[in-house]
Amino acid sequence: MIIQSQSAKRVILSALADEEMTKILDSVMYHSKSIADITRENNIAHTTCYRKTNWLINEGLVRVDKIIITPEGKKFSLYYSVFKSINVKYESN
């Protein structure tokens, strides 16, 4: 897929430039995971992980795979990346 939109390009570059967002994208690239799993694997603070995951969702780079309700009534979501790989080619014009 070739992305033509300048705003989509900026969103992708912003996400790749941020260390925590890159960790989140890497973590959910092949398997859906919860915020707790992502924070545990990548040593990211919960609040930072929630904030950056929500940004990635709003920008369309991450999606909710499913919502799980535990027997205790707690609700959590599993997230996945819309990308499996990203190739960048920079050329003049």
Side-chain angles (χ1 to χ4, degrees):
M1 167 193 338
I2 297 176
I3 299 174
Q4 300 293 333
S5 163
Q6 291 299 322
S7 63
K9 291 176 186 177
R10 285 192 187 101
V11 166
I12 292 168
L13 288 174
S14 295
L16 293 176
D18 185 281
E19 184 178 351
E20 285 96 2
M21 285 192 211
T22 304
K23 287 179 180 180
I24 293 166
L25 288 170
D26 289 346
S27 184
V28 298
M29 189 172 290
Y30 296 108
H31 303 287
S32 300
K33 296 181 182 168
S34 67
I35 294 291
D37 293 335
I38 297 167
T39 58
R40 192 175 326 110
E41 289 177 2
N42 297 293
N43 198 24
I44 302 172
H46 270 77
T47 53
T48 301
C49 193
Y50 272 110
R51 184 172 37 86
K52 294 194 177 191
T53 301
N54 282 331
W55 186 86
L56 291 166
I57 290 169
N58 290 336
E59 298 300 334
L61 300 180
V62 168
R63 294 205 176 123
V64 175
D65 185 25
K66 58 179 121 175
I67 298 171
I68 298 172
I69 301 174
T70 65
E72 297 82 31
K74 288 190 172 192
K75 180 172 106 171
F76 66 94
S77 300
L78 298 179
Y79 303 94
Y80 71 96
S81 171
V82 298
F83 295 112
K84 298 299 178 224
S85 68
I86 298 173
N87 295 311
V88 178
K89 182 177 180 181
Y90 177 78
E91 293 180 351
S92 177
N93 294 325

